[in-house]
């Protein structure tokens, strides 16, 4: 042995690394050195004489796999260590399927489709079947297919399941099962698998080919799984089957950091592992090396409210540290300003780099006021794991409509939106229009306006669709000087069909895109409500859309990444922050129905996942955690009162510094503490009173099928169905903009509309 690397470990880590007598689970708390323990475990296995070829290590990122393999090589100084089978579930399954895929009818060189490939195929199928692409959107189809495959449901089984078929009919997608079947057939015909097929087909292989299963069980005599709390049903079965022969299994994870339920992760995999392995040995790594005592104890006090968890007490020998800070803002716009000011002051006072700071939020849409506030102070930042707000496709699409209304000669904007949402004016048509425009010395817009000159070029249907688009844009142009920027912007978003299109996509990505459009309109409202600078002369009493476009173009121009500049504040969703750490962490938007999300109010399990998400956010901080909430937030252009998140009340008050005169719950004293200049126009606000009594928020006796109702988040809609027992009544509501939703009446607030 080159050197005694085990001396680098603490007592709990070393005990877990040295145990080789059967199945084991390492519960590794936040900042406890999980990656180190897993890496040293692999090194110890090889040092104990196990052939690296017989070790299978499954991780959740390829980057983690590379870093762990490199570290094992450094520890052992042994090139044979590079022969470990290490990678993500998908990469390892792809490697095995290239060897054994012939059993399932696939050649070794099968293609792997990414999401764009899959969506392209689905769009082709929808077109071939003459279905409405606005109903059968590629994103929603792929999301549902992915969900089915994750749960190992074949197209035939799906079509034979009455509940699934009925759900599709209610969603106005009765042909989904046929699309699913054709999609799989086309994949197989093309010798291709999509991302979910890698796990699905691995399960089929292990189920239907006992010789292959036996061979792999013999090959992998020791299996390690990282982030086990985030495994889904398909991954769980793969591990269980491969480990069945030897039961030499080591899983590492933390149930308190299980936050991917929306992707199919099942926390029961880690909570109930002892049911699969009677000889399971449990190890707990509870010492946190990352954070101060204050942060660790505050996080413990919050997560203790969860019922479903493995008992543990995270502790640290680090310094006591300062108390958690609380920022209370009047509006979400002011929240961005206060957070940016706090970052600037802390950085200057302590001479810190920008990389010391991270701002975490629940949804991507929350980045806009933060980005604008950071820009005003010339604080460089980067959006981690996503695009800057103004670079997101849906935002650029709506801005392109705005640009076209303001300047119809803007050909880039015109070409971007003329067939989005799809209106039957495709690329072939537009290519011909461009040629005609050039031949006649006209702009593309002017050519489109002369549909009467295109009789020989296009049929009446195409000319009619072009005419409808021209009329649509002209109708917006007539309102350019008659309506303020917000009112016209909202008209364009609705009239162009963007709101309807995005509201129909119920995938997590689709919901995020819809929220981003909402946030852009919020920015328009703020611009409209801000007085015009004195130097800007304009006879109109309100701020117009062309003024807004001039303003926003300055923001987008500054948004180009400078590759040379790496010292930036990090902005990211909490889901993206998993596994990362920063000296100073700001957690923003801590309000009921935002964090925890309104989508989590339907069950205790979902609410507990939101609490775990907050726990993950808090434990990213090393030195200081700053929490913030706004008393009001713009939602679709209207100010809405917000209640502070329940998670703030769950923090032991010993660990949080409250501003003078503040209380956990807002009251008149707290109102007085908000600077007058930042307070919103109360006449434009709606009071939201969250239901905390456990009683029904809506009186079911006043509701009936066919009745029009209004929901705080989703707006107006019609009740299509009411079902369930009296204590758990559910209403299916078809909302005008948000589409169909199923809501628990004891949590939802449905007000009848007269």
């Amino acid at each position: 042995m080159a050197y005694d690397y085990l001396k680098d470990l603490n007592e709990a880590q070393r005990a877990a690394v040295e145990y080789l007598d059967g199945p084991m689970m390492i519960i590794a708390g936040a900042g406890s050195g999980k990656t180190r323990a897993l890496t040293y475990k692999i090194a110890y296995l090889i040092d104990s004489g196990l052939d690296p070829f017989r070790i299978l290590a499954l991780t959740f990122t390829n980057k983690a796999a590379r870093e762990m393999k490199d570290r094992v090589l450094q520890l052992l100084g042994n090139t044979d260590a590079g022969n470990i089978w290490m990678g993500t579930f998908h990469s390892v399954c792809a490697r095995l399927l290239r060897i054994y895929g012939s059993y399932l009818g696939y050649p070794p060189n099968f293609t792997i489709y990414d999401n764009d490939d899959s969506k392209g195929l689905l769009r082709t199928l929808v077109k071939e079947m003459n279905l409405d692409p606005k109903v059968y959107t590629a994103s929603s189809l792929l999301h549902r297919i992915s969900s089915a495959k994750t749960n190992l449901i074949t197209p035939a089984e799906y079509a034979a399941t009455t509940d699934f078929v009925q759900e599709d009919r209610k969603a106005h997608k009765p042909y989904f099962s046929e699309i699913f079947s054709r999609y799989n057939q086309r994949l197989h015909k093309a010798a291709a698998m999509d991302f979910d097929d890698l796990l699905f087909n691995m399960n089929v292989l292990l189920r239907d080919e006992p010789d292959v299963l036996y061979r792999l069980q013999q090959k992998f005599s020791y299996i390690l799984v990282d982030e086990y709390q985030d495994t889904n049903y398909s991954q769980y079965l793969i591990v269980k089957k491969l480990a069945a022969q030897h039961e030499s299994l080591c899983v590492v994870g933390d149930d308190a950091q299980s936050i991917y339920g929306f992707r199919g992760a099942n926390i029961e995999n880690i909570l109930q592992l002892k049911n699969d392995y009677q000889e399971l040995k449990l190890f707990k790594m509870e010492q946190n090396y990352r954070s101060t005592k204050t942060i660790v104890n505050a996080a413990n006090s919050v997560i203790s409210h969860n019922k479903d968890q493995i008992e543990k007490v995270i502790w640290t020998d680090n310094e006591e540290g300062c108390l958690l800070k609380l920022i209370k803002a009047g509006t979400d716009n002011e929240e961005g300003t206060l957070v940016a000011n706090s970052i600037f002051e802390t950085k200057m006072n302590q001479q810190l780099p920008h990389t010391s700071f991270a701002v975490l939020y629940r949804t991507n849409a929350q980045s806009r006021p933060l980005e604008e506030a950071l820009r005003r102070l010339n604080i460089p930042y980067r959006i981690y794991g996503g695009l800057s707000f103004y670079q997101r496709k849906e935002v650029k699409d709506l801005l392109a409509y705005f640009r076209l209304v303001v300047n119809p000669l803007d050909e880039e904007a015109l070409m971007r939106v003329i067939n989005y949402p799809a209106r039957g004016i495709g690329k072939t048509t537009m290519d011909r229009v461009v040629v005609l425009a050039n031949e006649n010395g006209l702009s593309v817009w002017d050519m489109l306006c002369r549909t009467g000159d295109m009789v020989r070029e296009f049929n009446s249907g195409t000319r009619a669709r072009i005419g409808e688009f021209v009329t649509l844009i002209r109708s917006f142009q007539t309102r350019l000087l008659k309506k303020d920027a917000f009112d016209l912007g909202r008209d364009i978003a609705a009239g162009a069909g963007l709101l309807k299109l995005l509201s129909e996509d119920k995938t997590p990505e689709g919901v995020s895109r819809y929220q981003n459009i909402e946030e852009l309109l919020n920015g328009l409202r703020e611009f409209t409500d801000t007085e015009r600078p004195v130097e800007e002369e304009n006879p109109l009493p309100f701020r117009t859309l062309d003024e807004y476009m001039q303003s926003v173009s300055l923001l987008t121009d500054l948004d180009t990444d400078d590759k040379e500049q790496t010292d930036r504040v990090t902005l990211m969703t909490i889901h993206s922050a998993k596994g990362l750490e920063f000296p100073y962490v700001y957690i923003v938007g801590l309000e009921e129905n935002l964090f925890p999300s309104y989508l989590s109010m339907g069950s205790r399990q979902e609410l507990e996942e939101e609490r775990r998400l907050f726990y993950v956010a808090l434990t990213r901080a090393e030195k200081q955690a700053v929490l913030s909430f706004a008393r009001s937030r713009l939602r679709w252009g209207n100010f809405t009162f917000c209640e502070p998140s329940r998670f703030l009340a769950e923090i032991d008050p010993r660990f949080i510094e409250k501003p003078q005169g503040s209380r956990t719950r807002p009251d008149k004293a707290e109102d007085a503490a908000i600077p007058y200049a930042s307070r919103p126009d109360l006449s434009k606000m709606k009071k939201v009173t969250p239901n905390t009594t456990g009683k029904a928020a809506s009186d079911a006796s006043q509701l009936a099928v066919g009745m029009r109702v209004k929901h705080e988040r989703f707006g107006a809609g019609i009740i299509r169905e009411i079902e369930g027992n009296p204590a758990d009544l559910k209403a299916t509501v078809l909302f005008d903009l948000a589409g169909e939703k199923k809501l628990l009446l004891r949590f939802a607030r449905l007000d009848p509309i007269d």
Side-chain angles (χ1 to χ4, degrees):
M1 190 181 294
Y3 90 102
D4 182 14
Y5 53 84
L6 294 181
K7 69 180 181 182
D8 299 339
L9 306 174
N10 65 30
E11 185 178 340
Q13 291 170 338
R14 182 161 183 160
V17 165
E18 292 182 325
Y19 183 77
L20 301 177
D21 296 331
M24 60 181 291
M25 176 166 64
I26 303 173
I27 296 298
S32 65
K34 169 181 67 70
T35 303
R36 165 174 285 203
L38 193 56
T39 303
Y40 279 55
K41 179 81 177 179
I42 295 170
Y44 187 75
L45 286 167
I46 296 172
D47 230 7
S48 301
L50 186 60
D51 184 347
F53 278 105
R54 304 194 68 191
I55 298 174
L56 173 61
L58 297 166
T59 64
F60 266 75
T61 66
N62 287 309
K63 179 184 177 184
R66 288 192 301 270
E67 291 175 350
M68 287 170 62
K69 185 176 285 190
D70 290 344
R71 183 62 179 141
V72 171
L73 288 169
Q74 292 172 14
L75 287 173
L76 298 180
N78 180 355
T79 55
D80 287 343
N83 295 324
I84 309 162
W85 277 67
M86 181 183 288
T88 64
F89 273 91
H90 291 88
S91 65
V92 168
C93 288
R95 186 176 171 187
L96 290 171
L97 286 168
R98 294 206 184 278
I99 299 172
Y100 300 107
S102 59
Y103 286 85
L104 305 178
Y106 288 91
N109 62 339
F110 65 83
T111 300
I112 299 174
Y113 275 20
D114 62 18
N115 279 355
D116 287 339
D117 296 325
S118 294
K119 289 177 181 178
L121 174 55
L122 288 167
R123 292 188 190 99
T124 298
L125 291 172
V126 168
K127 185 176 182 180
E128 290 176 357
M129 296 171 67
N130 294 316
L131 299 174
D132 187 348
K134 297 177 183 178
V135 175
Y136 292 91
T137 63
S139 293
S140 62
L141 292 174
L142 185 58
H143 178 71
R144 193 151 177 83
I145 288 172
S146 177
S147 179
K149 289 185 177 182
T150 296
N151 289 287
L152 305 182
I153 298 170
T154 66
E157 291 168 337
Y158 188 99
T161 305
T162 304
D163 287 347
F164 293 154
V165 174
Q166 289 179 347
E167 284 180 33
D168 291 336
R169 285 174 181 162
K170 287 182 179 179
H172 309 292
K173 297 177 183 177
Y175 294 101
F176 172 80
S177 61
E178 186 177 345
I179 294 172
F180 186 8
S181 179
R182 292 192 185 192
Y183 172 76
N184 260 24
Q185 290 169 8
R186 293 283 273 271
L187 281 174
H188 202 280
K189 184 178 180 181
M193 298 185 199
D194 65 17
F195 212 53
D196 295 300
D197 281 331
L198 296 174
L199 301 183
F200 184 96
N201 286 332
M202 191 68 208
N203 271 287
V204 173
L205 183 69
L206 298 179
R207 181 195 67 194
D208 295 349
E209 303 299 335
D211 290 345
V212 174
L213 174 59
Y214 178 77
R215 211 175 306 170
L216 293 178
Q217 287 173 339
Q218 295 305 306
K219 176 178 179 59
F220 299 125
S221 56
Y222 205 98
I223 300 173
L224 305 99
V225 187
D226 191 16
E227 303 285 9
Y228 191 72
Q229 77 279 353
D230 292 327
T231 53
N232 59 33
Y233 178 62
S234 180
Q235 292 162 334
Y236 159 79
L237 283 182
I238 290 171
V239 172
K240 185 177 180 182
K241 289 177 181 178
L242 291 177
Q245 183 72 29
H246 299 288
E247 292 199 347
S248 294
L249 173 70
C250 172
V251 305
V252 184
D254 181 8
D255 57 292
Q257 297 186 66
S258 177
I259 59 173
Y260 293 112
F262 68 94
R263 293 182 186 168
N266 185 359
I267 192 174
E268 293 299 315
N269 291 351
I270 196 168
L271 295 178
Q272 303 299 327
L273 188 65
K274 60 182 179 294
N275 294 339
D276 291 328
Y277 304 96
Q278 300 303 314
E279 303 300 320
L280 184 74
K281 179 82 169 177
L282 176 63
F283 294 84
K284 296 180 182 179
M285 288 166 37
E286 299 170 301
Q287 183 176 0
N288 180 298
Y289 290 94
R290 175 188 301 153
S291 309
T292 64
K293 284 187 173 71
T294 296
I295 293 170
V296 168
N297 291 332
N300 285 344
S301 67
V302 173
I303 202 64
S304 66
H305 288 78
N306 271 11
K307 179 180 177 181
D308 295 333
Q309 61 177 309
I310 296 171
E311 185 179 345
K312 56 190 168 297
V313 179
I314 308 302
W315 60 277
T316 184
D317 274 338
N318 292 343
E319 63 180 355
E320 196 72 33
C322 53
L323 296 175
L324 276 63
K325 292 186 178 179
L326 182 62
I327 290 177
K328 300 183 298 182
T331 65
D332 48 352
N333 200 42
E334 186 195 23
E335 180 186 43
T337 300
L338 293 175
V339 167
N341 289 343
S342 175
I343 290 173
F344 182 81
E345 291 171 7
T346 305
K347 171 188 161 51
M348 297 304 292
N349 290 339
Q350 302 190 32
Q351 293 299 295
L352 298 169
H354 291 111
T355 50
S356 297
F357 301 90
V359 184
L360 309 182
Y361 34 75
R362 181 64 181 81
T363 67
N364 275 312
Q366 291 170 254
S367 76
R368 182 194 59 79
L370 294 162
E371 290 186 63
E372 294 180 358
L374 291 170
R375 282 195 182 100
R376 285 193 291 270
L377 292 178
N378 292 319
I379 298 175
Y381 65 88
R382 66 167 181 157
I383 303 291
Y384 185 97
L387 293 171
S388 173
F389 181 83
Y390 292 101
Q391 292 301 312
R392 294 168 190 159
K393 178 187 180 301
E394 58 278 7
V395 173
K396 293 182 76 172
D397 288 337
L398 184 50
L399 287 175
Y401 269 105
F402 294 171
R403 285 164 51 189
L404 186 61
V405 170
V406 171
N407 176 18
L409 300 181
D410 187 336
E411 289 191 11
E412 288 295 320
L414 172 61
M415 300 301 285
R416 185 181 184 100
V417 303
I418 191 165
N419 202 39
Y420 185 79
R423 48 175 61 90
I425 308 174
K427 184 177 183 300
T428 302
T429 298
M430 287 310 299
D431 287 346
R432 185 61 189 146
V433 171
V434 170
V435 171
L436 287 172
N438 291 335
E439 289 176 351
N440 289 276
L442 299 172
S443 69
V444 175
W445 171 255
D446 288 335
M447 194 68 238
L448 289 174
C449 293
R450 298 172 64 168
T451 53
D453 295 344
M454 302 183 189
V455 176
R456 296 180 181 179
E457 307 294 334
F458 303 113
N459 60 38
S460 58
T462 300
R463 296 199 311 276
R465 289 190 289 272
I466 291 174
E468 288 169 1
F469 176 77
V470 169
T471 300
L472 177 71
I473 300 302
R474 281 176 167 170
S475 72
F476 295 145
Q477 290 172 328
T478 62
R479 295 173 243 173
L480 193 57
L481 302 180
K482 297 178 181 178
K483 286 193 169 187
D484 64 35
F486 170 73
D487 287 338
L488 180 54
R490 184 176 54 185
D491 288 353
I492 293 171
L498 290 180
L499 291 183
K500 184 175 185 299
L501 178 69
L502 294 176
S503 71
E504 290 172 347
D505 186 351
K506 302 304 188 296
T507 66
E509 295 80 8
V511 172
S512 177
R513 286 190 285 269
Y514 189 72
Q515 291 172 337
N516 287 336
I517 292 297
E518 174 189 359
E519 193 59 27
L520 180 61
L521 293 177
N522 288 343
L524 265 176
R525 166 62 84 184
E526 290 174 1
F527 176 84
T528 303
D529 291 347
T530 304
E531 289 187 7
R532 183 183 288 117
V534 176
E535 64 270 20
E536 293 183 14
E537 295 183 4
N538 194 308
L540 295 175
F542 51 80
R543 307 198 75 177
T544 58
L545 189 64
D546 59 337
E547 290 180 86
Y548 173 77
M549 291 308 298
Q550 294 173 30
S551 169
V552 82
S553 67
L554 297 176
L555 294 177
T556 53
D557 287 344
L558 291 171
D559 199 40
T560 304
D561 275 339
D562 179 1
K563 301 293 184 183
E564 302 297 318
Q565 188 175 14
T566 57
D567 183 26
R568 297 167 178 261
V569 172
T570 297
L571 274 62
M572 64 172 72
T573 64
I574 302 167
H575 283 101
S576 298
K578 180 93 181 301
L580 302 178
E581 56 189 39
F582 302 89
Y584 295 84
V585 170
Y586 290 75
I587 308 171
V588 302
L590 279 163
E591 300 140 29
E592 288 291 293
N593 297 317
L594 180 56
F595 194 15
S597 166
Y598 70 95
L599 295 172
S600 70
M601 300 302 183
S603 71
R604 176 176 59 80
Q605 288 79 8
E606 291 173 334
L607 186 58
E608 290 197 353
E609 178 157 320
E610 288 288 295
R611 188 175 287 112
R612 292 194 294 270
L613 189 61
F614 179 63
Y615 176 83
V616 166
L618 197 52
T619 54
R620 298 312 93 196
E622 298 171 349
K623 295 177 181 277
Q624 174 74 69
V626 182
L627 315 176
S628 73
F629 69 89
R631 289 295 316 281
S632 63
R633 190 168 291 272
L634 271 173
R635 290 180 179 167
W636 296 108
N638 291 311
F639 276 113
T640 304
F641 274 124
C642 305
E643 287 280 345
S645 169
R646 68 190 68 195
F647 300 149
L648 292 173
E650 292 172 357
I651 299 173
D652 190 317
R654 293 177 297 166
F655 306 122
I656 187 167
E657 172 188 298
K658 294 187 176 66
Q660 186 175 5
S662 73
R663 302 183 185 180
T664 303
R665 296 294 179 186
D667 59 10
K668 292 182 180 179
E670 188 172 281
D671 275 336
I674 300 174
Y676 179 80
S678 71
R679 295 170 75 180
D681 183 352
L682 299 182
S683 66
K684 298 178 181 178
M685 303 179 94
K686 294 179 285 186
K687 178 66 177 175
V688 176
T689 308
N691 175 38
T692 58
T693 64
K695 298 179 181 178
S698 304
D699 186 350
S701 65
Q702 298 179 5
L703 303 177
V705 174
M707 178 182 289
R708 280 191 65 77
V709 292
K710 187 174 183 181
H711 184 273
E712 178 61 40
R713 177 72 178 180
F714 304 125
I718 298 176
I719 297 177
R720 302 188 59 172
E721 185 178 5
I722 297 177
E723 58 185 335
N725 59 59
D728 289 296
L729 283 176
K730 295 179 182 178
T732 300
V733 184
L734 180 61
F735 290 101
D736 298 346
L737 293 178
E740 189 171 274
K741 303 283 184 183
K742 183 169 287 190
L743 306 171
L744 274 172
L745 290 182
R746 59 193 173 97
F747 292 109
R749 295 187 61 84
L750 295 179
D751 298 321
I753 299 176
D754 295 331

